[in-house]
Amino acid sequence: MKNRYWFTNEDGENILNDFCGTEKEAVKYAEEQASALEQSIYINCGEDIVDVAYV
């Protein structure tokens, strides 16, 4: 099921554009961006943190 995901850093600041897709796709996208940005990225959906992409 596709949902809208948003991404934050450790300080809770929004750091990437929103992403519409499955949770698996959002995690893959965040992992790629975490590597490029060299920082951990929290993957959010609604009010919940669903996963974290670590550097």
Side-chain angles (χ1 to χ4, degrees), residues 30-44:
E31 288 172 345
E32 292 169 356
Q33 296 304 310
S35 191
L37 296 172
E38 297 181 353
Q39 65 177 321
S40 296
I41 297 176
Y42 293 79
I43 305 159
N44 305 275

Side-chain angles (χ1 to χ4, degrees), residues 8-47:
T8 56
N9 62 13
E10 293 176 350
D11 298 324
E13 299 168 331
N14 193 9
I15 57 171
L16 298 172
N17 293 331
D18 290 355
F19 180 87
C20 187
T22 65
E23 185 173 334
K24 184 177 179 178
E25 293 168 334
V27 170
K28 182 177 179 183
Y29 173 70
E31 288 172 345
E32 292 169 356
Q33 296 304 310
S35 191
L37 296 172
E38 297 181 353
Q39 65 177 321
S40 296
I41 297 176
Y42 293 79
I43 305 159
N44 305 275
C45 185
E47 298 286 322

